[in-house]
Amino acid sequence: MIPHSEVAQVAALEEYRASLIAQYGPLIGGRDLVRSLGFGTQAAFDKARREQRLPIRAFRIDGRRGCFAATAELARWLWMRQFGEEETNEF
């Protein structure tokens, strides 16, 4: 049986994820992605991407400019940072 506190955390994470998806849609890109990951400039984001130091998976879409990420993945990463839970990331 899952402890009540874990169920509450999962529900809160799902609510947070849903709110970001409602705000940005299933994909986030451009300035919103750069800011959400804590980069001060697009150049800093681009450098981190080239050096494979982004904390989440970012990808290009044919026919579109820039990089995108799944909003749900961003939400999970932000949630983990907010509540101080450590996780390894191999992106």
Side-chain angles (χ1 to χ4, degrees):
M1 182 173 216
I2 300 173
H4 178 68
S5 63
E6 286 184 37
V7 171
Q9 283 182 336
V10 169
L13 170 57
E14 178 57 29
E15 185 177 325
Y16 181 67
R17 184 190 69 77
S19 73
L20 286 183
I21 290 173
Q23 182 174 354
Y24 297 109
L27 296 177
I28 185 170
R31 188 179 317 155
D32 293 327
L33 177 59
V34 170
R35 285 186 193 163
S36 295
L37 292 175
F39 291 100
T41 65
Q42 180 70 47
F45 172 86
D46 292 341
K47 181 179 179 186
R49 184 171 186 274
R50 279 192 310 273
E51 295 174 355
Q52 298 180 348
R53 292 186 297 111
L54 293 180
I56 63 173
R57 196 170 319 211
F59 50 88
R60 296 196 177 275
I61 298 175
D62 289 341
R64 303 281 309 273
R65 285 194 217 172
C67 291
F68 298 88
T71 306
E73 186 175 351
L74 174 65
R76 182 174 184 277
W77 180 80
L78 289 170
W79 183 268
M80 295 301 206
R81 301 294 81 67
Q82 181 178 354
F83 291 101
E85 297 179 26
E86 295 295 322
E87 81 176 35
T88 58
N89 198 335
E90 299 177 1
F91 300 125

